[in-house]
Amino acid sequence: MEKKRIVVKIGSSSLTDSKGAIDQSKLSDHIASIANLRNKGHEVLLVSSGAVAAGFAKLGYPSRPVTLKGKQAAAAVGQSLLIQSYNEQLSKFGIVPAQVLITRNDFSKRDRYRNAYSTLTELLERSILPIINENDTVSVEELTFGDNDMLSALVSGLIHADQLIILTDINGLYDKNPKEDSSAKRINYLPEITEEWKTAAKGSGSKVGTGGMKSKLIAAETANTLGVKVFIGKGEGENKLIDIMEDKGDGTYIGSAALTSINSNRQWISLHSTVEGSLYVDEGAEIALMNNGSSLLPAGIYKVEGFFEKGNVVEVYGVNGVIGKGEVLYSSEELKEIILQRAEEQKIEKHPKLEVIHRDKWVKM
Ligand SMILES: Nc1ncnc2c1ncn2[C@@H]1O[C@H](COP(=O)(O)OP(=O)(O)O)[C@@H](O)[C@H]1O
Ligand SMILES: N[C@@H](CCC(=O)OP(=O)(O)O)C(=O)O
């Protein structure tokens, strides 16, 4: 099989028991299958949940805490226990793990986003197994990934993975929540995620999981838009991950064969950047941006709103509203001056004919 880059996400319910302890036999099953995947020549990154679930009992909580400080304290205790268990079990296979804790803020700062990419690829080049989790202890409630399903989708995009495997306590997506309706039927393949499917997928059924199937589908949709195929399901034994890669997995495969990877600039602009202002463009510029794959030139802009610097991200409005986002090569002041001079019928040639937004740094809505 061709060498692939694979992100494996393991949910709390597949690592811990409901009493708040790490289930060593589940963990060793996962580790053996990861070792097998690596032995076939694939690159593997692990996104592991379970910090809160593995830590709460040691703090004396009777169940998974619901308060922010409770979850953050439990994650601080549980994360070290998790990594300790991973270290012990991985050493039997001669695999060296690296703990990588990320916050949402790290992705919204472009230099940190680039650093995350460089560090992860360096670890892979050196055959280390990155074990990634959200840095729960310092994450602010309003600014989190939501859950690790979304974190795994964003990491998959960042490192241009071929496949995201979401391991959970159920063998895939069902047309109804099977824990509530025994007539529910499993879906083997979903080329595209529609609103109807997002409605069929409900919350978590376990005492330790967070987002349920709904959050997995939302994450899978994001991964697909970034060009990454997704598998959601379960399995047992050292061959489970190889079986999944060979289309024999016990779960649901999501995303058509036609998915294409999108470049890191576009990913960052589309999913992580902050919009600093707005440009309003005429019909010709709108057609050029939307249909012709062209860059945006100064001549197509008739209004500038907000104060932004060269290199910031702005929203672009066409005839009927927002049409996309892009990184500008001019400041708002420079652009306002261009428009003013045009109104005064001075020569636009006075300004360099640089693109305002280059096509590689433009994302359609
Ligand atoms: N339509 C559905 N198909 C499958 N599972 C569903 C569906 N709707 C809700 N679920 C629930 O989602 C759960 C998996 O999500 P979750 O508990 O968050 O797992 P994890 O801890 O692995 O992230 C299942 O155990 C099931 O109870
Ligand atoms: N960062 C949290 C992950 C929470 C989460 O998303 O859990 P899950 O739904 O089990 O993947 C933790 O380690 O407990």
Side-chain angles (χ1 to χ4, degrees):
M1 204 197 293
E2 184 196 339
K3 174 181 159 180
K4 297 265 168 69
R5 184 170 279 186
I6 302 159
V7 174
V8 179
K9 185 259 169 175
I10 311 183
S12 310
S13 55
S14 308
L15 284 167
T16 55
D17 61 33
S18 59
K19 296 192 189 80
I22 297 168
D23 184 326
Q24 297 294 340
S25 75
K26 284 182 184 169
L27 192 72
S28 76
D29 190 272
H30 298 312
I31 300 293
S33 66
I34 288 172
N36 252 356
L37 207 51
R38 285 168 47 111
N39 287 341
K40 292 270 178 196
H42 300 301
E43 289 179 327
V44 183
L45 296 96
L46 181 58
V47 173
S48 173
S49 298
V52 177
F56 73 78
K58 285 259 187 313
L59 273 103
Y61 294 121
S63 57
R64 197 181 198 280
V66 287
T67 62
L68 182 62
K69 65 178 182 185
K71 282 190 268 189
Q72 293 187 312
V77 173
Q79 181 66 25
S80 75
L81 295 171
L82 260 184
I83 287 293
Q84 189 184 352
S85 294
Y86 274 121
N87 252 308
E88 279 164 16
Q89 299 230 19
L90 285 164
S91 67
K92 295 177 196 154
F93 296 89
I95 300 173
V96 178
Q99 173 179 255
V100 182
L101 298 177
I102 307 181
T103 62
R104 192 79 177 91
N105 221 1
D106 295 326
F107 275 22
S108 60
K109 300 277 178 283
R110 192 189 306 231
D111 50 350
R112 294 200 203 177
Y113 184 71
R114 287 197 185 120
N115 277 355
Y117 172 80
S118 308
T119 308
L120 290 173
T121 46
E122 177 68 7
L123 291 170
L124 292 177
E125 264 166 38
R126 305 212 146 255
S127 294
I128 305 293
L129 176 71
I131 303 183
I132 305 164
N133 196 354
E134 180 156 9
N135 195 350
D136 297 305
T137 307
V138 296
S139 289
V140 193
E141 199 163 23
E142 306 78 51
L143 205 67
T144 63
F145 290 101
D147 55 56
N148 274 0
D149 298 318
M150 185 52 80
L151 173 62
S152 68
L154 296 174
V155 166
S156 304
L158 170 71
I159 51 106
H160 305 288
D162 300 288
Q163 179 78 48
L164 167 61
I165 296 174
I166 299 183
L167 292 179
T168 183
D169 63 349
I170 193 157
N171 64 345
L173 168 71
Y174 282 71
D175 57 357
K176 302 170 207 135
N177 186 352
K179 303 239 163 106
E180 285 164 10
D181 189 336
S182 58
S183 69
K185 288 193 183 57
R186 213 267 304 279
I187 312 303
N188 295 332
Y189 172 59
L190 202 60
E192 206 183 339
I193 298 164
T194 57
E195 285 307 314
E196 198 187 335
W197 282 112
K198 281 192 263 177
T199 312
K202 304 285 188 236
S204 176
S206 82
K207 292 198 171 79
V208 289
T210 51
M213 191 51 69
K214 193 177 224 43
S215 83
K216 290 180 201 339
L217 275 200
I218 293 169
E221 189 178 35
T222 299
N224 281 180
T225 64
L226 302 177
V228 184
K229 288 189 275 176
V230 179
F231 170 88
I232 301 174
K234 62 193 288 193
E236 262 172 43
E238 58 183 26
N239 281 327
K240 69 183 173 203
L241 292 174
I242 291 177
D243 285 347
I244 290 168
M245 291 308 292
E246 290 176 349
D247 292 337
K248 295 184 287 197
D250 188 11
T252 306
Y253 288 85
I254 304 176
S256 78
L259 294 178
T260 48
S261 178
I262 76 165
N263 77 38
S264 305
N265 281 325
R266 286 211 178 104
Q267 287 192 38
W268 186 80
I269 291 167
S270 153
L271 294 167
H272 309 296
S273 67
T274 307
V275 171
E276 308 285 355
S278 312
L279 302 180
Y280 291 79
V281 301
D282 62 24
E283 209 179 333
E286 181 171 350
I287 292 168
L289 283 170
M290 301 304 277
N291 305 342
N292 303 344
S294 307
S295 298
L296 175 64
L297 299 174
I301 302 166
Y302 65 87
K303 191 166 107 183
V304 177
E305 267 179 10
F307 291 93
F308 48 84
E309 300 295 325
K310 178 180 172 194
N312 284 163
V313 172
V314 299
E315 254 171 357
V316 176
Y317 286 77
V319 180
N320 295 315
V322 184
I323 57 170
K325 283 197 273 190
E327 181 187 318
V328 278
L329 288 164
Y330 289 90
S331 71
S332 52
E333 293 313 296
E334 286 169 322
L335 286 173
K336 283 172 188 167
E337 193 194 337
I338 292 174
I339 292 172
L340 198 66
Q341 290 186 352
R342 198 192 303 140
E344 290 166 0
E345 293 184 344
Q346 290 192 15
K347 280 195 169 174
I348 193 152
E349 279 80 350
K350 199 175 149 210
H351 296 277
K353 280 198 167 174
L354 267 180
E355 304 93 354
V356 175
I357 295 176
H358 188 272
R359 60 175 166 273
D360 289 344
K361 294 186 175 173
W362 161 251
V363 187
K364 294 182 204 176
M365 285 290 184

